[in-house]
């Protein structure tokens, strides 16, 4: 028996990422690999990020693992389905047992078992479940006693009871970064940006209730590694890889002020200051916490907003005051740290006045960076449940993702494409005005023209067909 862990993200096929070139390794797979090794289960990891699908298949054909566990998310689902079809239809791969895990699995169980024809699904956290499942397959034991899995039996879907989430994260070994070519990530960052960056996870779960957000893997919980263990990991990364920056992948980095104080103390005591960026919520950023973050090496904080309209924030169940968000961004800016925020357009109930309010909010808050998406419903979220009877476009599951699901909104879908262009042009126009100077005048005028054109596009698209 042999076990291969892999995924189906191919950088060479991602045209948008090729423009950005900020890839990160599959941290979840590396955690599972390390846990299995600690339990005495040898495994290989094929990181597809810098590979082609052909190279991945050739590797599988050569190794012929008896079990292949594939990480699946919304972005890679289509490629994963294609990979499964190839593995199950061609004898050169040895017809391995196929296990899937990841955030797209839990609420698409039927599709992945019946349409994609996977053998087993892991629902929730993967370390303990994959260990038990692989051991059962290895020794040809009954899998019905294994919590947290789904499979087909006589054509019917069987789900075992949910697994209790791992409570003590201090027992987790560090991700098995040695299993992949980390230097490819570091070199790519250095080549394109002059600095390198690595990812670190300190917590699992999110205790908040945002309706559009999926909690399929870690649940609406909060579990965290001890601060001293996190700093030990930073020390190791500094010695082994010497990254220029760290990206903490946690949903809400400052959710616990007690933990942040402990983290700051450990960083300062050990003199392990590596510049880092993180994501958090505005109401979890006090003056004290901001100062501690800065002293510990934080250079950029992403502060969730999603909208400048309190009406829409409340509809999302974000449970935050938009003015608190704005003030948190402004305070962070004044401390000399970069800020980032996220904006979502097209949420149910949003109208043009709300979008105008969002534009004004971004101008006043003045984040260093911001991203914009048009709202889409992820299966299993509260947002999906709310709009399910209003879905207007539901493409074929095997060849599409949730991003392509559309529903009846306030305006036609094309309206929001123009709205995104208007927000970007208008906010960037305002940023150029703040810079001043003759050199920025041509850029300023160009952005204003784009903003006006997008505004007219919004108006004209209101009367178009969806």
């Amino acid at each position: 028996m042999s076990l291969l862990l892999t995924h189906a993200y191919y950088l060479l096929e991602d045209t948008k990422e090729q423009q950005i070139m900020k890839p990160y390794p599959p941290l979840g797979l590396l955690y599972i690999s390390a846990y299995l090794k600690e339990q005495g289960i040898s495994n290989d990891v094929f990181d597809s990020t810098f590979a082609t699908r052909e190279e991945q298949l050739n590797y599988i054909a050569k190794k012929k693992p008896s079990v292949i566990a594939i990480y699946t998310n919304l972005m890679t689902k289509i490629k994963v389905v294609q990979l499964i079809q190839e593995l199950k239809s061609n004898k050169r791969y040895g017809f391995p047992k196929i296990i899937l895990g990841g955030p797209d699995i839990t609420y698409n169980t039927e599709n992945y078992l019946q349409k994609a024809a996977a053998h087993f699904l892991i629902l929730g956290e993967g370390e303990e479940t994959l260990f038990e499942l692989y051991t059962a397959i290895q020794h040809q034991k009954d899998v019905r006693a294994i919590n947290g899995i789904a499979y087909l039996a006589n054509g019917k879907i069987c789900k075992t009871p949910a697994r209790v989430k791992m409570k003590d994260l201090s027992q987790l070994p560090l991700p098995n970064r040695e299993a992949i070519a980390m230097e490819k990530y570091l070199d790519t960052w250095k080549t394109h940006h002059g600095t390198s960056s690595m990812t670190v996870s300190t917590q699992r779960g999110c205790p908040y209730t945002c309706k559009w957000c999926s909690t399929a893997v870690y649940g609406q919980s909060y579990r965290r590694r001890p601060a001293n263990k996190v700093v030990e990991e930073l020390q190791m990364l500094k010695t082994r890889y010497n990254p220029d920056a760290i990206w903490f992948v946690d949903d809400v980095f400052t959710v616990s002020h007690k933990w942040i104080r402990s983290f700051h103390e450990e960083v300062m005591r050990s003199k392990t200051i590596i510049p880092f960026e993180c994501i958090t919520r505005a109401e979890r950023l006090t003056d004290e916490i901001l100062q501690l973050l800065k002293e510990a090496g934080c250079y950029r904080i992403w502060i969730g907003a999603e909208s400048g309209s309190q009406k829409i924030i409340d509809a999302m169940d974000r449970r935050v005051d938009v003015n608190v968000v704005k003030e948190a961004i402004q305070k962070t800016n004044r401390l000399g740290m970069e800020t980032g925020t996220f904006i979502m357009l097209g949420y149910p109930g949003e109208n043009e006045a709300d979008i105008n309010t969002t534009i004004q909010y971004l101008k006043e808050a003045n984040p260093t960076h911001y991203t914009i998406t048009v709202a889409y419903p992820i299966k299993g979220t509260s947002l999906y449940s709310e709009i399910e009877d209003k879905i207007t476009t539901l493409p074929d599951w095997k060849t599409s993702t949730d991003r392509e699901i559309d529903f009846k909104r306030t305006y036609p879908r094309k309206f929001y494409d123009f709205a995104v262009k208007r927000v970007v042009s208008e906010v960037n126009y305002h940023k150029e005005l703040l810079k001043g100077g003759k050199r920025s005048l041509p850029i300023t005028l160009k952005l204003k023209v784009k903003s006006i054109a997008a505004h007219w596009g919004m108006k004209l698209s209101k009367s178009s067909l969806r």
Side-chain angles (χ1 to χ4, degrees):
M1 290 285 285
S2 56
L3 173 63
L4 175 67
L5 308 177
T6 192
H7 59 111
Y9 174 72
Y10 312 97
L11 179 60
L12 293 175
E13 296 181 13
D14 190 336
T15 54
K16 288 186 177 179
E17 181 58 33
Q18 286 180 51
Q19 296 172 356
I20 302 169
M21 293 306 281
K22 293 183 176 182
Y24 284 115
L27 200 59
L29 281 182
L30 302 185
Y31 261 112
I32 291 174
S33 175
Y35 181 86
L36 292 174
K37 283 184 66 178
E38 195 174 69
Q39 305 305 315
I41 303 294
S42 63
N43 60 87
D44 295 306
V45 179
F46 186 91
D47 180 11
S48 63
T49 302
F50 296 100
T52 64
R53 184 166 176 268
E54 183 180 5
E55 289 170 334
Q56 184 181 34
L57 289 170
N58 287 339
Y59 179 91
I60 293 171
K62 181 180 178 181
K63 288 278 187 176
K64 285 191 172 57
S66 53
V67 177
I68 300 179
I70 308 173
Y71 172 78
T72 310
N73 60 22
L74 183 148
M75 185 171 66
T76 62
K77 186 269 296 282
I78 296 172
K79 299 295 182 182
V80 168
V81 172
Q82 294 171 350
L83 179 61
I84 294 171
Q85 290 174 333
E86 179 67 22
L87 294 174
K88 295 197 72 173
S89 63
N90 195 324
K91 65 180 181 180
R92 75 186 287 251
Y93 308 114
F95 299 113
K97 293 290 184 183
I98 296 171
I99 301 172
L100 302 183
D104 201 47
I105 298 297
T106 302
Y107 299 103
N108 283 288
T109 301
E110 181 180 350
N111 287 328
Y112 277 108
L113 289 175
Q114 295 184 335
K115 294 183 180 180
H119 293 103
F120 297 98
L121 306 182
I122 290 178
L123 310 177
E125 292 177 324
E127 287 88 357
E128 295 173 325
T129 309
L130 184 55
F131 167 65
E132 293 180 16
L133 180 56
Y134 178 72
T135 302
I137 294 171
Q138 190 178 31
H139 298 289
Q140 298 183 331
K141 292 184 177 180
D142 193 342
V143 300
R144 287 179 294 180
I146 300 172
N147 289 342
I149 65 170
Y151 56 94
L152 287 179
N154 299 318
K156 294 183 178 181
I157 295 174
C158 296
K159 280 187 182 181
T160 63
R163 178 172 294 275
V164 175
K165 295 177 178 62
M166 192 179 292
K167 293 180 180 178
D168 186 4
L169 298 189
S170 66
Q171 300 303 310
L172 277 174
L174 294 182
N176 184 18
R177 294 182 175 93
E178 300 295 325
I180 65 173
M182 277 301 308
E183 66 276 3
K184 289 186 178 181
Y185 290 92
L186 299 170
D187 291 346
T188 298
W189 272 80
K190 282 279 191 182
T191 299
H192 293 273
H193 307 287
T195 58
S196 59
S197 181
M198 296 182 73
T199 47
V200 171
S201 172
T202 79
Q203 69 183 61
R204 290 187 173 183
C206 177
Y208 295 97
T209 56
C210 308
K211 290 183 178 180
W212 40 264
C213 189
S214 175
T215 57
V217 175
Y218 297 138
Q220 196 176 331
S221 64
Y222 172 74
R223 293 160 291 141
R224 202 154 203 174
R225 297 167 56 205
N228 67 310
K229 294 288 186 181
V230 173
V231 175
E232 286 175 11
E233 180 178 7
L234 294 180
Q235 290 174 314
M236 182 278 292
L237 294 179
K238 194 171 185 177
T239 301
R240 174 68 178 83
Y241 301 104
N242 194 29
D244 297 303
I246 296 294
W247 167 239
F248 285 110
V249 299
D250 313 306
D251 290 329
V252 189
F253 189 68
T254 64
V255 63
S256 168
H257 289 179
K258 180 180 178 182
W259 189 93
I260 291 295
R261 293 185 190 104
S262 179
F263 172 73
H264 171 270
E265 182 181 342
E266 291 291 334
V267 167
M268 303 310 286
R269 180 190 59 78
S270 63
K271 298 180 181 179
T272 313
I273 297 178
I274 306 175
F276 69 87
E277 61 180 309
C278 60
I279 303 175
T280 192
R281 288 174 61 97
E283 75 275 22
R284 302 308 299 161
L285 283 176
T286 63
D287 291 343
E288 176 206 4
I289 295 301
L290 280 170
Q291 187 62 40
L292 293 178
L293 289 174
K294 184 176 182 179
E295 291 174 6
C298 184
Y299 73 94
R300 181 187 296 147
I301 306 177
W302 290 85
I303 303 169
E306 311 308 333
S307 177
S309 167
Q310 190 65 51
K311 180 188 84 176
I312 300 304
I313 287 176
D314 292 343
M316 294 174 173
D317 201 18
R318 286 278 295 158
R319 303 186 187 185
V320 69
D321 187 316
V322 67
N323 292 311
V324 172
V325 180
K326 181 172 68 176
E327 289 166 10
I329 292 172
Q330 292 168 336
K331 282 183 179 181
T332 307
N333 287 340
R334 286 196 294 270
L335 278 174
M337 289 183 280
E338 293 184 13
T339 50
T341 196
F342 312 100
I343 296 297
M344 184 183 293
L345 300 182
Y347 199 83
E350 183 186 60
N351 57 35
E352 192 168 352
D354 296 314
I355 294 172
N356 289 335
T357 302
T358 295
I359 291 173
Q360 187 60 32
Y361 154 78
L362 285 171
K363 288 179 178 180
E364 293 174 5
N366 195 28
T368 318
H369 311 276
Y370 61 95
T371 66
I372 303 181
T373 58
V374 176
Y376 59 90
I378 299 173
K379 200 169 182 182
T381 62
S382 296
L383 173 59
Y384 190 96
S385 298
E386 285 184 6
I387 61 88
E388 190 168 7
D389 62 346
K390 300 180 181 66
I391 289 176
T392 58
T393 303
L394 189 62
D396 179 65
W397 179 83
K398 292 175 70 173
T399 58
S400 68
T401 72
D402 288 352
R403 287 179 180 271
E404 295 166 66
I405 298 174
D406 202 11
F407 57 94
K408 188 176 181 181
R409 308 173 193 259
T410 307
Y411 308 113
R413 179 61 179 79
K414 189 67 177 175
F415 172 93
Y416 300 100
D417 295 331
F418 285 113
V420 169
K421 292 177 182 177
R422 178 161 184 256
V423 172
V424 171
S425 299
E426 188 64 27
V427 173
N428 289 348
Y429 160 75
H430 180 74
K431 285 180 175 288
E432 289 297 326
L433 281 182
L434 292 177
K435 291 179 183 178
K438 293 182 179 179
R439 186 175 296 180
S440 66
L441 185 59
I443 299 173
T444 305
L445 291 173
K446 186 176 181 180
L447 287 168
K448 191 60 178 178
V449 169
K450 285 185 175 181
S451 174
I452 293 170
H455 194 200
W456 275 105
M458 290 165 65
K459 290 184 176 298
L460 291 172
S461 64
K462 283 183 181 180
S463 59
S464 67
L465 294 174
R466 293 184 185 272

